[in-house]
Amino acid sequence: MKILLIGGTGTISSAITRQLAASGHDLWLLNRGNRRNEVPASVRQVICDIDDEAEVLRQIGDTQFDAVGEFIGFLPSQVERDIRLFRGRTRQYVYISSASAYNKPAANHIITEGTTLANPHWEYSRNKIACEELLMREWRDNGFPVTIVRPSHTYCERAVPVSVHGLKGSWQVLKRMMEGKPVIVNGDGSSLWTLTWNEDFAKGYIGLLGNPKAIGEAFQIMGDEQLTWDQIYQCVGNTLGVTPHIYHIASDFLAATSPKAWDFEGNLLGDKSLTVVFDCTKLKRAVPGFQATVRFDEGVRRCVAYLKEHPELQEEDPEFDAWCDRVIATQEQAKQSLNG
């Protein structure tokens, strides 16, 4: 197939790029070229700003694609741009939405593609919902061949997934573990969460490309393994060779006391603090044989090994570190005060 990916080098899309290239597809990437050295040699790169529509059309010409995958579309205006660019140029347009778009809290913790979309806590998710609604109208009214994909927490070797971290990512949490300092876990640590290795996600995504069952439909792609947040942090600690000192703090308290830029209201109250179990039956019917095979304990081992080999990714975050210490000290003081 001739496939164009808008993005193609991020956490989710990099694995898709590698697998499509290895399978011999005629793969094109459209992006700014910031990570061009990481792209397989067989991939054709269209280096430009996608908002420069004239330049995009100049570079792709009259090329017809079997599928176009959008990985960096977050606003309805960006989706409208894509419709202008690719109407009549692709047999399928695959839009990456988000499982955070599901209603918070949902009426049932078992989540299917039919679960209501609504998220009062996170503007990011509401924008994804608006993009989905626009695309489905375009499918119904004008036959634009859309497929919507909703990932949950997908990760790769470049970062260890945790629930509470600052703007510089998760390394500071790992550093606190290794230094024997307490690490904050939202709530009581017992809510269930699903983590999916990006290469597993890629298998499901690729199975939808060119798939007649996928047009006009939405699919969620994730593994079947659910872990509590305590178990997730314990896996990370085990991989680091330490016992993590887990410190529980209520999610709404974290959202109320963190810097606004960290957006814990969206990330926690609108996503990670809630127990969700995803039913991927619809995907498995459309893509027979799909199965996520990388367990989290294996995935985190790969992450830690990669981070140790790439010190440039070990970005410290003193602001987050100091905030953790203050919040923990404040809660401890409150306990002592109330206990007399």
Side-chain angles (χ1 to χ4, degrees):
M1 290 190 293
K2 188 183 292 292
I3 300 164
L4 172 70
L5 302 183
I6 303 169
T9 59
T11 297
I12 290 177
S13 59
S14 59
I16 296 168
T17 294
R18 291 193 298 269
Q19 290 183 25
L20 286 173
S23 299
H25 292 282
D26 183 2
L27 180 60
W28 300 35
L29 298 190
L30 194 164
N31 56 43
R32 295 177 183 269
N34 295 330
R35 298 174 68 180
R36 69 178 72 186
N37 293 334
E38 301 177 23
V39 176
S42 63
V43 175
R44 176 165 176 173
Q45 298 191 66
V46 180
I47 307 300
C48 67
D49 181 349
I50 191 172
D51 286 325
D52 187 347
E53 296 180 35
E55 178 62 16
V56 172
L57 293 176
R58 187 191 72 79
Q59 292 207 45
I60 67 174
D62 295 326
T63 306
Q64 296 287 318
F65 295 98
D66 295 299
V68 170
E70 171 61 272
F71 292 90
I72 53 175
F74 304 100
L75 300 171
S77 60
Q78 295 168 328
V79 168
E80 290 170 346
R81 173 206 62 208
D82 288 355
I83 293 170
R84 289 192 299 270
L85 284 170
F86 298 110
R87 186 193 305 279
R89 294 175 179 271
T90 185
R91 295 184 176 89
Q92 184 183 26
Y93 173 88
V94 185
Y95 177 69
I96 291 288
S97 183
S98 171
S100 69
Y102 291 121
N103 193 25
K104 300 294 183 297
N108 191 320
H109 72 284
I110 304 294
I111 305 297
T112 72
E113 289 83 356
T115 299
T116 303
L117 303 182
N119 192 328
H121 298 289
W122 209 357
E123 184 179 13
Y124 163 82
S125 306
R126 294 193 295 274
N127 284 332
K128 286 291 190 180
I129 293 168
C131 290
E132 286 199 29
E133 291 174 342
L134 189 160
L135 286 164
M136 292 309 295
R137 284 197 304 271
E138 196 65 27
W139 157 244
R140 290 192 299 268
D141 297 345
N142 300 305
F144 188 69
V146 64
T147 298
I148 291 169
V149 172
R150 299 179 187 136
S152 185
H153 196 158
T154 306
Y155 69 108
C156 70
E157 70 278 2
R158 297 177 66 87
V160 173
V162 296
S163 61
V164 180
H165 62 80
L167 294 180
K168 296 184 178 181
S170 62
W171 176 254
Q172 192 66 45
V173 178
L174 275 62
K175 188 170 184 289
R176 289 181 68 89
M177 284 190 188
M178 291 184 288
E179 292 174 347
K181 300 177 71 174
V183 289
I184 295 173
V185 172
N186 52 287
D188 64 1
S190 66
S191 59
L192 292 174
W193 194 243
T194 299
L195 294 157
T196 305
W197 185 247
N198 67 341
E199 293 173 349
D200 282 336
F201 178 91
K203 292 184 291 186
Y205 181 96
I206 291 170
L208 295 174
L209 298 181
N211 189 329
K213 296 180 180 179
I215 304 300
E217 298 289 341
F219 296 87
Q220 52 193 26
I221 302 177
M222 56 280 293
D224 294 322
E225 179 187 35
Q226 292 89 38
L227 298 169
T228 67
W229 278 111
D230 276 1
Q231 289 173 325
I232 291 168
Y233 277 67
Q234 287 160 359
C235 277
V236 175
N238 289 343
T239 304
L240 294 171
V242 300
T243 299
H245 299 292
I246 292 173
Y247 192 92
H248 297 125
I249 298 182
S251 297
D252 53 359
F253 185 80
L254 293 172
T257 57
S258 62
K260 186 176 181 180
W262 299 357
D263 197 9
F264 281 172
E265 179 181 356
N267 279 294
L268 294 180
L269 301 182
D271 201 22
K272 296 179 178 68
S273 67
L274 302 172
T275 284
V276 286
V277 176
F278 296 99
D279 181 347
C280 290
T281 300
K282 182 177 180 180
L283 174 70
K284 292 174 182 178
R285 286 174 177 161
V287 185
F290 169 77
Q291 185 68 44
T293 58
V294 179
R295 246 175 28 190
F296 180 66
D297 58 326
E298 170 59 24
V300 76
R301 279 196 292 271
R302 298 180 188 182
C303 291
V304 169
Y306 190 87
L307 289 172
K308 288 181 177 179
E309 293 171 359
H310 293 81
E312 72 277 7
L313 298 177
Q314 300 172 18
E315 190 170 7
E316 297 189 15
D317 191 342
E319 180 186 8
F320 173 75
D321 193 53
W323 174 83
C324 288
D325 291 338
R326 290 197 305 273
V327 172
I328 291 170
T330 299
Q331 182 158 292
E332 286 301 304
Q333 290 168 5
K335 290 179 183 177
Q336 292 173 13
S337 175
L338 291 171
N339 288 331

